[in-house]
Amino acid sequence: MERKQQFRDYLLTQGLKSTRQREIILDAFLQSGGHLSTEELYLQIRQQHPGIGYATVHRTLKLLAGSGLAESRHFGDRQTRYEQCSGEDHHDHLICTACGAILEFEDGDIERLQQRVARQHGFHILSHRLELYGRCAKCGPE
Amino acid sequence: MERKQQFRDYLLTQGLKSTRQREIILDAFLQSGGHLSTEELYLQIRQQHPGIGYATVHRTLKLLAGSGLAESRHFGDRQTRYEQCSGEDHHDHLICTACGAILEFEDGDIERLQQRVARQHGFHILSHRLELYGRCAKCGPE
DNA sequence: CTCCAATTGAAAATGATTGTCAATTTAAGC
DNA sequence: GCTTAAATTGACAATCATTTTCAATTGGAG
Ligand SMILES: [Mn+2]
Ligand SMILES: [Mn+2]
Ligand SMILES: [Zn+2]
Ligand SMILES: [Zn+2]
C-alpha cells in the first residue's frame, strides 16, 4: 500500500498524473513477482483490462523503474525484464541455462571485493551486474 | 597465425568452407583489438573491401565465437559486441558510464567466491558475467 | 574438371522498443 | 461543479539490431 503511495509521490514530483491505467499496471506489477518482460505483463493485464495498450504498459514500467519501485534487468536474451526492488537491498542472479530458472543471491564478500577492484583502477562504482550461468540443482551438472 | 589455422580447423570440423571473405573478416578482427560491434567491424572492413556485406560480417563473427576465437559481450546498450579471447583466460569489465571507457580485470578471489555461492545453491556454473558500471579515474567521481 | 553443397550479398523479415498524433482524461484554478 | 491547459492514452508507424530469404556464385571433394 505504501508502495502505491511511493509511486504517486514520484509522479507528483515529476509533474506527472495518476491515471486509472497506471494504477492498474502498478497493481498487476506488484502482485506478480519474478522477472517480467513488458510482453508478459501486458498479456496478463489484458485478461482483465483489454483496453490497456502495450505502449502504456511499456511506458509505465519505465516510470516504475524511475520511481525506484522496479529495476530493469537484461539477461541473455534481448528483452528487458523488470522486477520489484525494495529500496536498499540488492541481489544478483544464478540463471539455469537448461530450465530457465532464476535464483537470487546476495554476497557481501563479493561486493567488497568489487570495491577493491574498483579502487585498484581508480574507478567509482555506481552499479554492477553479476550473473552466474549454469545448471541448477534440479537439472544436474550435465 | 595459428589463430587463423584454428579457425580453418574449426570450419573443417563443422563441414564449412574457408572463403576469401571469411579470411578477410578474420584478419580485420584479429588486427583490431577492443570490443567491436558488428557495425563497427563492417564499416572498417568496407574501406578496403567494399564488396563484403553486412550479413557476412555478422555470420562470420558468430562463427568466430563458435570457434573460440571470439567471445560475445552484451553491455548496457542493445548491440552485441565481440572481443578476441585467448583460450583459457577470462576477464570481466569496468565500464565508465560517462566516457564509455572499458577497463578489464581479473580477480581470482571473486571467482572463488562465485563458486562458493554456486555450491550453496547446488548450482554448477558454466559461465558468468560481472560488470562494474561507474566513473573512471579520468571522469572523476561525479 | 564436375558437381553439389556451402556461401554470399541484397533485400526483406523479424522482434523488441520507441515515436507520433488525434482523441481523451486529469487535476489545477476558478 | 465548470473550464481549460497540459498530460496521457492507444493504435499505429518508425526505428534499430539482428536474422532470414533467395538467386547467383564459389569452394573443394571426388
Ligand atoms: Mn532478481
Ligand atoms: Mn574485454
Ligand atoms: Zn535448471
Ligand atoms: Zn570515463
Side-chain angles (χ1 to χ4, degrees), chain B residues 17-18 54 58-59 79-80:
Chain B
K17 295 175 177 174
S18 281
Y54 185 96
H58 171 260
R59 288 184 285 231
Q79 57 189 354
T80 303

Side-chain angles (χ1 to χ4, degrees), chain A residues 17-18 58-59 62 79-80:
Chain A
K17 295 175 175 172
S18 282
H58 171 261
R59 289 184 287 231
K62 291 184 81 166
Q79 58 188 352
T80 303

Side-chain angles (χ1 to χ4, degrees), chain A residues 63-81:
Chain A
L63 288 176
L64 287 171
S67 76
L69 282 183
E71 193 161 351
S72 73
R73 299 284 187 184
H74 300 261
F75 298 138
D77 47 1
R78 196 166 322 117
Q79 58 188 352
T80 303
R81 294 180 172 280

Side-chain angles (χ1 to χ4, degrees), chain A residues 49-110:
Chain A
H49 306 276
I52 294 184
Y54 186 97
T56 301
V57 175
H58 171 261
R59 289 184 287 231
T60 302
L61 281 171
K62 291 184 81 166
L63 288 176
L64 287 171
S67 76
L69 282 183
E71 193 161 351
S72 73
R73 299 284 187 184
H74 300 261
F75 298 138
D77 47 1
R78 196 166 322 117
Q79 58 188 352
T80 303
R81 294 180 172 280
Y82 293 87
E83 71 171 323
Q84 286 186 53
C85 65
S86 335
E88 294 314 301
D89 72 327
H90 166 84
H91 65 261
D92 293 295
H93 297 90
L94 288 152
I95 298 153
C96 180
T97 52
C99 70
I102 299 178
L103 304 181
E104 304 183 334
F105 70 90
E106 293 178 60
D107 192 303
D109 293 333
I110 291 180

